[in-house]
Amino acid sequence: MKKSGRGGKRGEASLSISRKMSAPSTMSIGGTPRVTGHGLALVDVSVEQDSAYWEWSLEIPSRKRKKRILDSDDENDDGDTTDVADDGAEEEEHEEEFDTQLKFGVTTKKSPEFYKNLEANETDDSSIDDGTLWMRCIPRKLYNGDTIGIAVQQSDLPMIQFYHNGEPCSEVTVNRFRGSVYPSIYVWDGVSARACMEDEEWNEGPPHERFGPLIAARGII
């Protein structure tokens, strides 16, 4: 996908994560569209235009893992020396992959009462509304710096399309939704994500030029 050349509307209120509509177990960072923690988080502006596009930029921190070094008499020992931890294992940085249940998409307006009721009725019953009906996991391994693109169209055939680093994930397309919806993400501990709403922030860009940046509506939450 090529990045759109259209700019977002200037003079509008900047978009951020809504504290009022997001789970209390999540945290927006500095009033920006960046979120971390655990649970459902919503951007503070609903999707009003016919075709809208935005991206989530993932931040998955590198982690240290211990790697057992070879015994000195092992036939594969090349004689090199390494720094090792106290238990005889060396520590090395590695790029962490993340395949837990991060979800992306849209959801309806939420309130603090919604989260209180959800916590009170916490159960394995899949019929309980957890706010993720129109959200999907990306069926790929996710790494630090990955970009998840969301393209929403509302006329004719309402549809939500998902993209991983510019590549379509057609197997998780949402083919029908209704009502006023907000960009949303379900985050997990250890991961933060930044909502990129304006086209100059996009890493990949929409699948078609008709998909424009999210427009800040009059009623900011």
Side-chain angles (χ1 to χ4, degrees):
M1 294 184 293
K2 293 182 68 176
K3 296 176 73 171
S4 167
R6 292 185 300 176
K9 286 191 174 183
R10 301 301 177 188
E12 304 261 9
S14 60
L15 309 184
S16 61
I17 300 298
S18 170
R19 292 304 314 136
K20 185 176 180 180
M21 293 195 295
S22 299
S25 52
T26 64
M27 179 179 65
S28 61
I29 301 174
T32 69
R34 186 164 168 248
V35 62
T36 188
H38 187 121
L40 183 64
L42 284 70
V43 174
D44 58 8
V45 172
S46 61
V47 182
E48 299 294 339
Q49 65 260 50
D50 176 61
S51 300
Y53 176 85
W54 61 89
E55 294 179 349
W56 292 96
S57 179
L58 302 185
E59 299 177 18
I60 302 174
S62 297
R63 298 183 182 178
K64 287 185 177 182
R65 65 181 176 187
K66 293 181 178 180
K67 177 181 177 183
R68 190 173 300 282
I69 62 172
L70 299 173
D71 293 334
S72 59
D73 57 350
D74 192 288
E75 62 180 355
N76 292 322
D77 188 11
D78 59 6
D80 290 342
T81 60
T82 58
D83 293 331
V84 299
D86 292 340
D87 61 358
E90 64 175 296
E91 289 188 349
E92 62 177 13
E93 293 279 348
H94 73 105
E95 186 177 21
E96 187 77 4
E97 69 180 31
F98 205 83
D99 58 358
T100 190
Q101 302 298 301
L102 285 170
K103 290 185 178 181
F104 308 86
V106 300
T107 191
T108 55
K109 186 176 181 178
K110 297 293 179 275
S111 67
E113 288 71 26
F114 168 82
Y115 297 104
K116 290 178 182 177
N117 292 335
L118 188 63
E119 184 177 6
N121 296 296
E122 191 170 5
T123 175
D124 292 333
D125 185 356
S126 60
S127 66
I128 293 179
D129 175 24
D130 65 354
T132 64
L133 177 62
W134 300 319
M135 301 174 67
R136 296 292 183 266
C137 298
I138 301 301
R140 310 283 191 274
K141 295 290 187 182
L142 302 180
Y143 294 89
N144 183 50
D146 279 3
T147 296
I148 308 302
I150 312 294
V152 174
Q153 68 178 43
Q154 302 201 71
S155 68
D156 299 328
L157 179 63
M159 181 182 300
I160 306 170
Q161 301 172 78
F162 302 86
Y163 298 85
H164 176 238
N165 294 334
E167 296 299 321
C169 301
S170 55
E171 63 267 47
V172 294
T173 297
V174 174
N175 289 313
R176 187 174 299 176
F177 68 96
R178 62 183 182 274
S180 180
V181 295
Y182 294 77
S184 54
I185 184 173
Y186 196 101
V187 291
W188 286 74
D189 293 331
V191 174
S192 62
R194 185 178 188 276
C196 302
M197 295 296 175
E198 297 189 17
D199 58 355
E200 61 264 28
E201 300 177 301
W202 296 340
N203 292 319
E204 301 293 341
H208 190 278
E209 62 181 6
R210 73 175 181 272
F211 291 92
L214 197 66
I215 298 173
R218 289 187 298 273
I220 301 298
I221 302 299

